[in-house]
Amino acid sequence: MAFVDSEVSGGTQADQDALSVKIVVAGGFGVGKTTFVGAVSEIEPLRTEALMTEASTSVDDLSMLPEKRTTTVAMDFGRITLADDLVLYLFGTPGQNRFWFMWDDITRGAIGAVVLVDTRRLADCFGAIDYVEQRGIPFVVALNAFNGVQEHDVEDVRDALQVGPEVPFVVTDARERESVKVVLVTLVEHAMSLIQQP
Amino acid sequence: MAAPDGRRVRPYLATRGRTRPVQDIAIEALVSTTKDGRTHGADPEPERERILRLCHSPRSVAEVAAIVSMPLGVARVLVADLETEGLVRVADPHAAFAGSAEPARNLSVLERVRDGLRRL
Ligand SMILES: Nc1nc2c(ncn2[C@@H]2O[C@H](COP(=O)(O)OP(=O)(O)OP(=O)(O)O)[C@@H](O)[C@H]2O)c(=O)[nH]1
Ligand SMILES: [Mg+2]
């Protein structure tokens, strides 16, 4: 978090082009996505906006929006420089799940997704899980511990979400850097296992 | 031409000769100012000038949009034009792996990411 928002600080300095990869942090409204990103990011989470009109074809309910031309969709993201030539970005999905066009941009080429779940509002993550399952995006389910979730609740939640046994479930505290690291490592290892045993 | 947020969208939208469709640029693609971009002198367009200065250290397209405060789509257009003019390089992770597995499906890349995360 030592980032200064000046125009020349940060980034990598390698002569060769660095490689950038990304992980998606998905989940329902207010589930802790930005908190999760901020816990490990070397910069304060930044916010990027896309204009609704940029992808009108894939938006399902434009008609519900009175002023579609001024609608923007925001996503928060963070950065972790893993090596001189390797940068990891964490992109949080927009809080309102219906902006699926933004998800296509965020997930294209991603290592995988962390689906954050608030066990008091399980249904809020259904959209995210459907999305990543349908597209074959590797994902892990992270239950936010601030709701008093215990390890022994995990299998109940797995049943409720109807997610297969191959998908890792972890209990996390989105505010804790070490806890967030564990979730990310679990996701990367899961993505690796899917390559090794297609 | 006025953008929906009132920002002027310049004729860039009509620029020809880009190396690829603007929407194909990954949001995590790293933009870096080339030597030509560094010696280009102050660009008359303030947003282009900011991008050229910002990307002395490589920054993703998403960071460019966030820090220069412009919608992602506008950032993509400006970056694509600067690339066409040779003032920035765009390291697109997908293009870099053309023909082989993309980085997110490349075991050695994933190993490096895992090890890097563990070291944090
Ligand atoms: N106690 C506790 N509070 C948390 C935790 N994670 C998030 N919060 C709080 O929950 C609220 C929402 O967190 P955000 O990180 O903004 O959630 P979000 O998913 O980014 O929200 P949207 O982008 O609006 O969908 C904030 O007030 C956080 O401080 C957690 O693990 N424990
Ligand atoms: Mg948020």
Side-chain angles (χ1 to χ4, degrees), chain B:
Chain B
M1 181 174 153
D5 61 356
R7 195 189 300 274
R8 203 158 55 92
V9 177
R10 296 175 205 84
Y12 298 131
L13 286 174
T15 300
R16 287 160 202 274
R18 287 199 195 103
T19 50
R20 65 183 120 181
V22 167
Q23 289 307 323
D24 284 2
I25 302 177
I27 55 176
E28 73 274 24
L30 292 175
V31 183
S32 42
T33 308
T34 60
K35 212 167 148 226
D36 279 358
R38 287 165 195 254
T39 54
H40 171 67
D43 194 280
E45 294 287 351
E47 279 101 349
R48 282 167 50 103
E49 175 63 19
R50 286 201 70 193
I51 295 172
L52 289 176
R53 281 193 290 138
L54 179 66
C55 297
H56 281 209
S57 316
R59 307 281 194 157
S60 62
V61 173
E63 280 172 287
V64 168
I67 297 173
V68 184
S69 304
M70 52 173 62
L72 198 52
V74 176
R76 276 185 162 131
V77 170
L78 293 182
V79 163
D81 284 332
L82 290 168
E83 183 189 32
T84 303
E85 293 167 43
L87 302 178
V88 301
R89 237 182 13 256
V90 181
D92 194 307
H94 313 301
F97 277 71
S100 60
E102 61 177 302
R105 300 290 167 264
N106 179 300
L107 262 189
S108 61
V109 171
L110 292 178
E111 266 168 25
R112 292 193 62 209
V113 172
R114 179 199 59 194
D115 296 345
L117 283 168
R118 282 188 178 146
R119 272 196 309 270
L120 283 183

Side-chain angles (χ1 to χ4, degrees), chain A residues 83-142:
Chain A
D84 268 358
D85 59 349
L86 184 62
V87 188
L88 172 65
Y89 287 95
L90 300 179
F91 285 97
T93 57
Q96 286 165 291
N97 280 345
R98 65 195 157 94
F99 297 120
W100 297 114
F101 76 88
M102 197 80 168
W103 284 61
D104 295 344
D105 240 2
I106 296 173
T107 57
R108 183 163 52 99
I111 288 174
V114 173
V115 178
L116 271 180
V117 173
D118 179 339
T119 52
R120 298 164 303 184
R121 298 180 291 143
L122 274 188
D124 287 6
C125 72
F126 289 172
I129 288 180
D130 284 348
Y131 184 98
V132 294
E133 271 185 343
Q134 279 167 21
R135 285 163 183 77
I137 298 166
F139 71 101
V140 300
V141 175

